[in-house]
Amino acid sequence: MADRFLRRAHASEIVRKLCTKAIFEQGLITNGDRILIAASGGKDSSVMAWALSSLKNSLKTGYKLAALHISTDFCACCKKSVLSEKLESWGISFTDLFVPVTGRLKPGKKMNCYWCSTQRRTELIKYAVENGFNKIALGHHLDDIIETFFMNLCAKGELSAMPIKLVYRKFPVTLIRPLAYLEETQIIACAEEQDILKAACTCSYGAHSKRLDIRKKIAELTNSSGAVKRRILRAALMQSDTKGLEKE
């Protein structure tokens, strides 16, 4: 019944409903939060920013939003000005920070997604702490979380997944993932509906990621069923050794 309703609803309303569900069920946002959005320039973080902005009144929870975009020495966002305009039209201030990701590589090491993500995460946390933010919002969705679970299982032999809420012990910030209940197809549909998709920028490294192989296998396993994916998410979070404390 719920799935049939979601199929009939407008894409934007689906995103709003499932974000609200994640926020309340997982305790992602509380009154007085200062939330820093990790704005990569891609569709996921852009839709998340739109959703968090549009939900401020209906959630009846006082929180403030700002966005940080990290430019690098290997991938300059060609649509950064469009991203800035979109965010500011939603009442979200925009800051761009340059980080020499490849310049920090040790001799003999090659650029990869893991290295980039750790460098970006480090700078996000540093910026959040220095500027008084207590939450960092990341644009990972349902498919990202499930893919990471299977990648950890197959490559590391670990039952661990991205937590929807991650409380750092070393820093006074918490990571939240408001899109955790949303499939990528639902985010794409919302991005098209809100005229976000054409403003989104993608990274060339992602096109060759091992994640794509896992994605294909999961599609075969689940037959691309949202209901099956959500059951896997529930099982992954229950069995994961990531308990919402610092573990990533």
Side-chain angles (χ1 to χ4, degrees):
M1 185 68 166
D3 283 348
R4 288 200 297 272
F5 170 77
L6 290 177
R7 283 196 294 269
R8 290 197 302 269
H10 289 298
S12 299
E13 192 58 27
I14 291 173
V15 169
R16 284 169 51 88
K17 285 180 180 295
L18 290 180
C19 275
T20 299
K21 182 178 174 66
I23 288 168
F24 283 117
E25 289 187 354
Q26 302 293 330
L28 302 185
I29 298 177
T30 57
N31 193 51
D33 279 347
R34 297 190 74 240
I35 303 171
L36 180 64
I37 295 170
S40 68
K43 67 183 186 314
D44 302 329
S45 61
S46 298
V47 167
M48 178 183 67
W50 167 82
L52 291 178
S53 175
S54 69
L55 286 171
K56 286 187 74 173
N57 291 332
S58 60
L59 289 178
K60 298 181 180 179
T61 302
Y63 59 90
K64 294 183 178 180
L65 297 171
L68 178 67
H69 175 268
I70 296 179
S71 297
T72 70
D73 50 358
F74 72 90
C75 183
C77 181
C78 57
K79 299 176 181 177
K80 185 165 56 180
S81 61
V82 179
L83 172 65
S84 175
E85 290 175 5
K86 281 285 186 184
L87 289 166
E88 290 176 359
S89 72
W90 300 329
I92 302 173
S93 62
F94 175 85
T95 299
D96 182 60
L97 177 68
F98 175 76
V99 177
V101 173
T102 58
R104 293 177 176 178
L105 283 169
K106 293 180 180 180
K109 297 293 184 180
K110 294 183 179 180
M111 177 61 190
N112 57 69
C113 292
Y114 177 77
W115 174 254
C116 180
S117 65
T118 56
Q119 296 306 301
R120 288 172 182 267
R121 185 73 59 85
T122 298
E123 296 301 331
L124 275 168
I125 294 171
K126 180 181 177 182
Y127 183 91
V129 172
E130 290 177 349
N131 291 275
F133 293 96
N134 67 310
K135 299 277 177 71
I136 298 175
L138 303 179
H140 298 121
H141 47 68
L142 173 64
D143 294 291
D144 289 326
I145 296 173
I146 293 174
E147 288 162 11
T148 301
F149 175 73
F150 279 103
M151 288 175 71
N152 288 338
L153 178 63
C154 296
K156 300 179 182 179
E158 296 180 357
L159 290 173
S160 59
M162 292 177 178
I164 298 175
K165 180 180 179 180
L166 175 65
V167 181
Y168 278 110
R169 290 175 290 205
K170 296 180 181 179
F171 312 103
V173 293
T174 297
L175 298 187
I176 60 173
R177 294 182 167 98
L179 302 183
Y181 292 172
L182 281 148
E183 298 170 70
E184 185 176 31
T185 54
Q186 294 171 321
I187 292 169
I188 291 172
C190 176
E192 291 175 341
E193 197 169 274
Q194 293 296 325
D195 197 28
I196 293 172
L197 196 59
K198 67 182 181 182
C201 187
T202 57
C203 174
S204 59
Y205 279 92
H208 307 289
S209 171
K210 292 180 180 179
R211 184 175 292 271
L212 296 180
D213 294 330
I214 289 289
R215 186 172 301 173
K216 292 177 182 178
K217 290 180 173 63
I218 292 173
E220 295 173 358
L221 176 67
T222 64
N223 197 26
S224 299
S225 166
V228 173
K229 289 178 182 179
R230 288 179 176 85
R231 286 195 286 271
I232 293 174
L233 174 67
R234 186 166 62 249
L237 295 178
M238 288 176 63
Q239 297 298 321
S240 174
D241 60 2
T242 303
K243 301 299 183 182
L245 292 174
E246 187 174 351
K247 183 65 180 178
E248 284 194 325

